[in-house]
Amino acid sequence: KKVDKAQITKAVTLLTEHVQKENEAKNDLLNSNNEAVFLMFNLAKIPEKAVNKPSLIELPHPLYQEGSECCLFVKDPQRKWKDIFAENPVKGLVKIIGVDKLKKNYKQHKQKRELCDAFDLFLCDKRVVEMMPQHLGWNFHTKKKMPIPVKVTETDSHTEIEHALKCTFVRLAQGPSVAVRVGRCNMPTKAIVANSQKVIADMHELLAKMDNGIDGVSVQATGALSLPLYVSERFREKQTALAGAPAAASAKKSAKEEEGEDETVAAAQKKRKTGDKKQPASAAAASSSSAAASAPATPAASEKKGKKTDKPAAEGAAVSKKAAEKATPADPAAAGKKRKMKAQ
C-alpha cells in the first residue's frame, strides 16, 4: 500500500529504456531485451535459517508465455512419464528427463551448463527434489534456475505444472534481502507494473506469517542498477545510525588527539621553565671560572711557582755533573800514587 503505482511505472519505464539503449549500443540483436526484471526486498530481520522450499506467487501476466520452454525431471522410469505426457501434453513442457538419464548424460560441467541455458524454467517431481542439487551443479544455483518441485501423479499430471507456469517463485535464503522475478524487459510496462504490485502484496503477507517485515523495495534488471521504490522509517533510522557511528568515532579520536597535543605542549612548557631556572646558577659558575682563569697572578704565587720550576732544574744539573765525572778518565799519576798508599 505504501508503494505508489505511479512510482513503480516511472521506475520500470526508466529501467527498460536503459536496457534497450545498452543493447542497441552493443548491437545485441539476439538478446532482444530479454533481461529479467526483479523486485529486491530488504528484510526487517535476517531469517534464522534458509527456507529451501520455494513459495509460489501467481502473476496476472505470466512470465512463461507462448514460446517459453520448460523441462521436467521425473522419477524413473522415464519412459512411463514420457508416454503419459505424450497422450496429454502440457503447453510449454518440451523435455522430460529421468534421474538415471540425468546422471548418465549430464556428467560434465559443460553438459550441465548447456542444459541450464537450454530452457526457461525447470520443474521436478517432489519425490526427487532432494537429488537435484548434487546432479545439477552450481550453474543452476547461480542463475536461479533450480527446479521448482511439483506434485506429479499418473491420474493428475497437469494441474500443478500448469499452475507453476503461471507463477513466480520466492526462495528465502539466510540473508538480509530476497529477489523475486516479476517480468522481462521486452514485456509491456503495464504488465510488469501489475506483476510488481501483486508480488509486493503477497510478499507482505508471506513475511508477516514469518514474523518478518519489509524495510525497502527496489526494482532491478539483469546487469543494471536498482531503482528504489520504498524505504521504511525503521530502515532510514538504521542507515542514519550506521552513518553516524564512523563520524562519532572520528570525533572521539580527534578529541583524544587534541588532548594528547595539549598534554605535550604543557610538558614542553614545564620543561622550558625548569631549564630557565637552572640557567642563572650555571651561568654564574661559568663566569667565576672564566674570571679565575683570566685574573693576573700575584707575586707570592709567581715566586712559589718559580721555586717549583727551579727544583727540578737543580736536580737535573746535579745528575749531569755526576754523569760527567764518571765519564771523565782518571789521571795516571794520581792513580799510581793511590795504589802505593794502599800497598803500604
Side-chain angles (χ1 to χ4, degrees), residues 20-319:
Q20 184 177 355
K21 289 179 181 179
E22 288 289 319
N23 289 335
E24 288 175 356
K26 295 185 290 186
N27 293 322
D28 192 358
L29 300 177
L30 295 176
N31 189 39
S32 66
N33 302 327
N34 201 36
E35 288 85 352
V37 180
F38 296 90
L39 285 182
M40 299 293 296
F41 293 89
N42 294 324
L43 305 181
K45 296 187 294 185
I46 297 176
E48 295 181 358
K49 60 181 181 179
V51 181
N52 295 323
K53 182 181 178 180
S55 300
L56 277 63
I57 299 177
E58 188 170 346
L59 299 175
H61 302 276
L63 303 177
Y64 310 102
Q65 300 172 349
E66 187 175 352
S68 298
E69 296 184 344
C70 175
C71 175
L72 174 66
F73 299 109
V74 295
K75 185 179 180 181
D76 295 310
Q78 174 182 289
R79 174 49 55 187
K80 168 187 170 182
W81 296 104
K82 279 193 171 184
D83 292 340
I84 290 174
F85 285 104
E87 293 178 4
N88 299 296
V90 178
K91 188 177 180 180
L93 181 61
V94 298
K95 186 76 172 177
I96 298 172
I97 303 175
V99 175
D100 288 343
K101 287 290 184 180
L102 178 62
K103 294 178 183 178
K104 182 179 179 180
N105 297 341
Y106 300 95
K107 291 182 179 180
Q108 303 298 324
H109 173 73
K110 180 181 178 182
Q111 295 169 329
K112 294 176 181 178
R113 184 178 69 248
E114 290 174 351
L115 176 63
C116 181
D117 295 337
F119 301 95
D120 300 301
L121 176 67
F122 291 89
L123 304 174
C124 72
D125 190 334
K126 288 183 176 180
R127 294 171 290 184
V128 298
V129 64
E130 294 182 358
M131 302 179 187
M132 294 296 101
Q134 59 182 339
H135 296 308
L136 295 178
W138 63 270
N139 270 300
F140 282 78
H141 180 72
T142 54
K143 294 184 178 180
K144 302 185 185 300
K145 283 191 172 183
M146 288 300 291
I148 304 303
V150 293
K151 185 178 181 181
V152 181
T153 64
E154 296 178 12
T155 57
D156 186 5
S157 58
H158 292 63
T159 304
E160 290 204 11
I161 294 176
E162 290 174 348
H163 177 65
L165 291 170
K166 298 176 183 177
C167 294
T168 188
F169 312 100
V170 181
R171 295 181 186 272
L172 286 177
Q174 194 174 4
S177 62
V178 60
V180 183
R181 187 177 298 186
V182 293
R184 296 185 304 276
C185 289
N186 56 8
M187 291 176 64
T189 300
K190 289 183 178 180
I192 300 175
V193 172
N195 287 350
S196 299
Q197 289 181 298
K198 180 66 163 56
V199 168
I200 291 171
D202 285 15
M203 281 294 293
H204 176 73
E205 293 180 5
L206 178 64
L207 293 171
K209 292 177 182 178
M210 299 179 179
D211 193 26
N212 208 333
I214 299 172
D215 268 351
V217 184
S218 59
V219 62
Q220 181 179 12
T222 304
L225 296 175
S226 62
L227 300 176
L229 299 175
Y230 164 73
V231 179
S232 69
E233 290 298 327
R234 176 176 51 204
F235 187 75
R236 293 179 190 275
E237 291 174 0
K238 287 181 183 178
Q239 294 299 313
T240 303
L242 291 173
S250 178
K252 188 175 180 180
K253 183 178 179 181
S254 300
K256 285 185 177 181
E257 290 177 354
E258 290 178 1
E259 185 179 350
E261 290 177 0
D262 293 342
E263 291 178 356
T264 305
V265 171
Q269 291 177 349
K270 185 177 181 181
K271 186 176 181 181
R272 192 182 300 116
K273 289 180 180 179
T274 306
D276 292 343
K277 289 180 180 179
K278 291 181 178 180
Q279 186 173 356
S282 301
S287 60
S288 176
S289 299
S290 300
S294 59
T298 58
S302 299
E303 183 179 355
K304 187 176 182 180
K305 184 176 181 180
K307 287 182 179 181
K308 286 183 179 180
T309 306
D310 293 343
K311 186 176 180 180
E315 290 178 354
V319 171

